[in-house]
Amino acid sequence: MENHRSRWFDVQSVPKSHIFSHEDRPGKEPVPVCRTIPIVDLGLQRLEMVRKIIEASREFGLFQVINHGMEESVIVEAIRVFKELFSMPAEEILKEANESGWVYMGSTSHGTKGGANLWRDNIKHPCHPLEECMKHWPRNPTRYREVIERYIVEIRRLSLRVLELISEGLGLEEGYLGGISQVQILTASNYPPCPDPSLTLGVLKHVDHSLITILAQGNARGLQVFKDGKWLGVEVVPNAFVVNIGSQLEIISNGKLRGAEHRVVTNQEVARTTIATFINPVPDCIIQPAEVLLTNSNPALYPPLSFREFVNANKAFGPHTDALQNGVISKISS
Ligand SMILES: O=C(O)CCC(=O)C(=O)O
Ligand SMILES: [Fe+2]
């Protein structure tokens, strides 16, 4: 039987709880789509790819990859499964989440800076090592584990490949970045249509606390990156992945690469469903500028800090930081 119960986003106007302050909200000024954010063809010659990736990571902290070898159906199916999951009644998702140790952040459950709630539903769970993590994944929709396993295996492969190209471009030894990317956290979001996108946000301005993040942004716009004091819209490229440089890679590169400051805005027309995978170090890993990059004239700009300390200091996952960092993740990765 179809579920006709109304949802938090079935409203004619934006409730007060979801209205951001003037300084955070997008407002009515249109943000143009930026056509110069590089789109890197992973079929190019290696040196050419490395050059493009490093350039993009310095300039925008973000680029897109195409011709990455992942079949379109794997991405489409994964997004479809999340659309199904988010259409389940919130209490049902929450009950499963509580029982299995992953995190569900419904739109009303994540108080954020400024007190307003984000215009999204979101779930997060770890994915690596896969066998161990899968036992804690959602059991509904029933094909969730099968579909997301296929997706995440490919994402791991892709992320190692991108990290290898970045290692090479920075002049780090082979495997340097791949070796510390032991944790994968999947975070999927559903941003429903919103009656007034000028007042709301899908995600506030932030830098991911990852090495890199690999994002499938579906087929709707919403992601924006902050550069030189301005917001730029990230184009939707069919079948592409957006790669964000996270704060941990900014530190390792001693600031040569920049963590992308980004946010998500909403739209009036369509629900936008995305899957971001954070590629992270294990909690005890000490993150610091790579020694080979340091010289007398280029001293370390960041102090060494374990990933755990960094995340805790920044409350990276809001009220769920401890659960994600010290509960599920450390149990699985130890
Ligand atoms: O959904 C998106 O487009 C991006 C989400 C994001 O930035 C995040 O979850 O950190
Ligand atoms: Fe992000």
Side-chain angles (χ1 to χ4, degrees):
M1 203 179 73
E2 216 180 317
N3 174 20
H4 288 293
R5 214 171 338 178
S6 81
R7 310 285 304 249
W8 64 265
F9 49 84
D10 291 331
V11 288
Q12 297 301 314
S13 61
V14 176
K16 217 163 157 232
S17 55
H18 287 70
I19 298 181
F20 276 90
S21 68
H22 281 276
E23 77 204 52
D24 287 329
R25 69 172 75 151
K28 291 196 190 296
E29 187 99 353
V31 170
V33 170
C34 176
R35 305 280 172 200
T36 52
I37 295 173
I39 298 169
V40 182
D41 181 337
L42 291 187
L44 287 180
Q45 220 204 356
R46 195 171 173 93
L47 277 181
E48 181 65 8
M49 288 190 290
V50 169
R51 192 186 58 74
K52 275 188 117 173
I53 287 176
I54 296 295
E55 234 174 67
S57 306
R58 295 179 83 133
E59 208 185 328
F60 295 93
L62 180 146
F63 53 93
Q64 308 214 38
V65 292
I66 54 167
N67 203 5
H68 41 64
M70 199 192 297
E71 268 179 50
E72 191 179 348
S73 62
V74 176
I75 309 170
V76 170
E77 275 304 293
I79 298 230
R80 196 171 289 160
V81 120
F82 280 113
K83 283 195 186 286
E84 280 170 39
L85 181 134
F86 287 118
S87 68
M88 287 164 36
E91 316 81 73
E92 228 171 90
I93 311 180
L94 194 58
K95 184 167 163 282
E96 269 233 33
N98 288 341
E99 283 168 9
S100 44
W102 44 275
V103 171
Y104 171 58
M105 302 214 262
S107 162
T108 49
S109 66
H110 43 97
T112 49
K113 185 185 138 218
N117 291 315
L118 300 177
W119 198 267
R120 72 162 178 180
D121 280 316
N122 171 263
I123 82 160
K124 300 183 198 304
H125 63 63
C127 302
H128 185 78
L130 188 58
E131 294 283 302
E132 201 38 54
C133 293
M134 265 180 81
K135 295 179 200 154
H136 304 275
W137 287 3
R139 278 164 298 205
N140 284 301
T142 46
R143 63 201 174 92
Y144 184 95
R145 292 184 183 182
E146 183 194 323
V147 170
I148 301 307
E149 178 185 16
R150 209 173 309 135
Y151 178 80
I152 212 69
V153 164
E154 295 283 334
I155 288 288
R156 175 142 184 90
R157 210 191 328 256
L158 174 62
S159 64
L160 289 175
R161 196 165 156 215
V162 171
L163 284 172
E164 215 37 66
L165 294 169
I166 294 175
S167 285
E168 194 174 317
L170 287 174
L172 304 175
E173 68 195 70
E174 205 181 324
Y176 189 98
L177 296 176
I180 55 175
S181 67
Q182 300 292 332
V183 173
Q184 279 177 292
I185 297 181
L186 179 148
T187 160
S189 304
N190 189 57
Y191 309 93
C194 171
D196 187 349
S198 73
L199 303 175
T200 58
L201 279 169
V203 184
L204 266 166
K205 180 182 180 185
H206 69 286
V207 176
D208 291 347
H209 298 300
S210 55
L211 292 159
I212 55 172
T213 305
I214 310 252
L215 171 75
Q217 64 164 336
N219 52 8
R221 282 189 200 145
L223 181 64
Q224 299 181 341
V225 62
F226 197 64
K227 181 175 186 298
D228 303 330
K230 284 203 197 87
W231 286 106
L232 308 171
V234 178
E235 214 178 328
V236 172
V237 179
N239 203 25
F241 287 100
V242 175
V243 180
N244 280 341
I245 304 299
S247 55
Q248 304 309 293
L249 192 49
E250 176 173 323
I251 295 171
I252 291 169
S253 72
N254 203 32
K256 187 170 172 188
L257 309 184
R258 52 185 275 183
E261 281 189 294
H262 56 286
R263 72 177 182 187
V264 176
V265 298
T266 60
N267 76 74
Q268 270 177 311
E269 292 83 33
V270 287
R272 177 173 183 266
T273 306
T274 66
I275 312 171
T277 312
F278 300 127
I279 312 298
N280 289 350
V282 291
D284 289 331
C285 184
I286 305 290
I287 298 294
Q288 57 194 328
E291 214 151 301
V292 293
L293 302 180
L294 303 178
T295 59
N296 284 342
S297 57
N298 182 30
L301 300 175
Y302 307 82
L305 216 53
S306 75
F307 185 53
R308 183 195 309 282
E309 287 171 296
F310 186 97
V311 166
N312 285 343
N314 288 280
K315 283 281 167 214
F317 298 109
H320 296 287
T321 299
D322 291 344
L324 268 168
Q325 173 84 357
N326 301 322
V328 188
I329 300 172
S330 60
K331 236 188 290 164
I332 287 169
S333 60
S334 61

